[in-house]
Structures are given as C-alpha cells and as structure tokens.
Amino acid sequence: MSDPIFFIAASGITLSEIAAAAGASLPEGADPEHRLAGAASLESAGPQHLAYMDNARYGDALAATQAGACLVSPRFAARCPAETVAIVSRDPYRAYAMLLGRLHPDALRPGSQFGARGIAPGAHVHPEARLEEGVTVDPGAVIGPDAEIGAGTVVGPNAVIGPGVRIGRDCAIGAGTTLSHALLGNRVILHPGARLGQDGFGFAMGATHLKVPQVGRVIVQDDVEVGANTTIDRGASRDTVIGEGTKIDNLVQIAHNVVIGRHCVIVSGVGISGSTTLEDYVVLGGQVGVVGHLRIGRGSQIAGSSNVNRDVPPGSRWGGTPAKPVRAWFRELTTLARLAERSGKADTAEDS
C-alpha cells in the first residue's frame, strides 16, 4: 500500500475513469461515479482501493481480495469476489500503471529534495550558466559555465553539471549525479548517483599504457530514464548515444562509443563494452555482458546472466555463455543434465 506520508494520492478516481483508461466497460450494476481513494496490492487493498491481477500465481489472492475494484485479464475475471468490481482489460498492468500515475503524479519522477522552487540557498550556479524560468536547483548543486538547463527541470542536491552541458525541459537530475560533456533531451530522468560523460576506458597498451583522449560526448534523447549509480562514458572517436524512450536500470555500465537505439530496456548489472550498437527495442536481462564492437539487432532479447560475444540478428532470443539462440541453449542444458544424470547413476552402480 502506498505510504500516506511519502505518496499523497490526488483526489481519487472514479470507476468510469478507470474503465476509460483500461479501454473497458463497467459490469452491470456498477456505479460509474463511485470514487476510489487510491491503489494497493491484492492482499492489502480495502474497499477504497484499486488493485490489479494478471498472473495465475496470484489467483488465491484475487479470490480473497477486499479491493473495491480490480483490473483483471479476461481469464481471471470470474475469480473476483462479488464485492469487488471486476474491470476486464487486455493489459491490466499497463492500465494500472497509467492510473497509478494519475493518483500519484509526484512518484513519476524525482522532485526537489529540499521542497523548494528556484535556486535554493547553498546552490552554486556559475554566472555564465543559462537557466530558463522554472528550473529548481537544490542546495549543494554545482552548475558550471555555459551550461544550459530547460524549464521545469529539477537538479538535486550535490549534483554537478559541468561546463557546456545541455539539459532539456522537465528533466530530473538526481542527488549526487554528475554530468559532463553531455547533451540531454526533454523529460530525461537520472536517478541519484548516475555518472554521465566521464572518460571512457581507453589506453594504447604497451610497456607503459598510453591514455587515449576521449573527445566525444554523451547524447541522451527524449524520455530516457537512467537508474541509480549507472555509468555512461563519453565517446572517444564517436558519441555515446542513448536513444529515445530507452529505460536503463541501476548499476549498469555503458562504455565509450556505444550506441543504444530507441525504446530499449537494459536491466541492472549489465555491462556493454565499447563501440557496440544496440538497435531499437532490444532487451538485455540482468547481468548480461556484451563484448565490444558488436551489433545486436532490432527487437532482440538476451536472457539474464548471458555473455554476448558475436553479432545478434534482429528479432532473436538468445541466452547462455557464450550466448546462442535459446533453442540451442536449452538443448545444450538438457543434454548436459542427461549426461550428468547418467554419470551419477554409473557412479552409484560402481559404488554398490
């Protein structure tokens, strides 16, 4: 259940508004103007709450819920209690996410940690920086010369915005974040501790390792979200680019010259080596490792903990170490399990 201290709900939401967002019709007898106060899980919801369910393992929780209304996929609708208004949706989770954003708009992106507007006492803004009206800068933040920040952007405490950095409108720059050599579009969210634009790891190897100057930039397009303590190195010979709408989890490493397409999803613990390209709509599961100078084709999905060491064709589903098409990977795992089982039986027979 949402905490009434941290996430204060808006004025609630009516059943008709819920149905409209879900693209659904209310069941017969439901009062379209009945208002719910908030949202909660199946287990904790009361009559004033909206819940959702689209996973078979929560069937018992659905049957026992006390929620006032529940967004539910067609196959589970019959399991809703009689006291709960079942709102049938093809995609209950997406509809729930949309409605939760209406109820708790402040949870959609980080806001000022100081509860202030404008430039707070203790912030350090260089006189040659250019901030549009409506920018909020929390205490301890440093904004360097020639930096530009668009209206509606919030810069959290102790964030550092380097010289010449450009940040678009309605962005959220988390506490302790550092930005250098970077251009950000609109509605970008950087969670606390993200590091963008620092040197890529480049050395000419030899008896002594000669540092290769990293003279590129980081370009982050509109509607990108970057998780806490994720690092995105600036380019060496070309820009590092994060495409529109891409979502990056916490603790991800993106090396120099990497180009990530639009609407990709990169889960925590991923490491992407230099000069690799991800085309649009690629998904990398947690702890995937990608070696350098590869191309992962549009719409491909890589299973968690896999290691990619060759190009991946568009639309592929790969997994394993080294990564391969999932059918080949599953056959490999099955064969190894059978061999291990036979070996175990042989050892048992010898011992007896």
Side-chain angles (χ1 to χ4, degrees), residues 6 49 218:
F6 296 118
H49 292 125
V218 172

Side-chain angles (χ1 to χ4, degrees), residues 296-313:
I296 299 180
R298 177 186 172 97
S300 293
Q301 300 178 8
I302 311 298
S305 300
S306 300
N307 178 266
V308 183
N309 65 357
R310 56 194 170 110
D311 289 348
V312 178

Side-chain angles (χ1 to χ4, degrees), residues 106-201:
D106 291 344
L108 289 172
R109 68 167 192 158
S112 169
Q113 300 298 295
F114 195 59
R117 293 176 179 268
I119 300 174
H124 304 277
V125 179
H126 195 279
E128 295 179 9
R130 294 180 288 278
L131 279 60
E132 289 186 338
E133 187 176 353
V135 172
T136 295
V137 184
D138 278 351
V142 175
I143 300 175
D146 298 316
E148 296 182 2
I149 303 177
T153 290
V154 176
V155 179
N158 299 319
V160 177
I161 312 300
V165 167
R166 306 289 192 269
I167 300 173
R169 293 171 176 163
D170 298 315
C171 296
I173 310 301
T177 294
T178 58
L179 276 168
S180 68
H181 309 89
L183 309 177
L184 275 61
N186 300 320
R187 299 175 301 279
V188 172
I189 297 174
L190 305 181
H191 288 280
R195 312 293 181 193
L196 276 69
Q198 62 282 336
D199 275 11
F201 191 70

Side-chain angles (χ1 to χ4, degrees), residues 192-218:
R195 312 293 181 193
L196 276 69
Q198 62 282 336
D199 275 11
F201 191 70
F203 296 89
M205 309 295 282
T208 59
H209 307 314
L210 180 65
K211 185 177 182 68
V212 178
Q214 308 288 292
V215 296
R217 306 168 296 179
V218 172

Side-chain angles (χ1 to χ4, degrees), residues 21-107:
S25 299
L26 290 175
E28 187 176 351
D31 177 7
E33 298 309 310
H34 179 69
R35 185 172 294 275
L36 300 179
S41 66
L42 289 167
E43 297 85 352
S44 61
Q48 73 277 27
H49 292 125
L50 170 69
Y52 86 97
M53 190 275 195
D54 66 351
N55 189 315
R57 70 175 58 189
Y58 299 107
D60 290 342
L62 174 63
T65 192
Q66 298 181 43
C70 184
L71 291 158
V72 62
S73 53
R75 63 180 177 139
F76 299 122
R79 300 201 64 178
C80 267
E83 298 80 12
T84 299
V85 177
I87 300 177
V88 179
S89 170
R90 291 179 179 271
D91 193 345
Y93 186 49
R94 188 175 182 87
Y96 182 80
M98 185 186 305
L99 291 161
L100 201 60
R102 292 187 191 179
L103 288 165
H104 300 286
D106 291 344

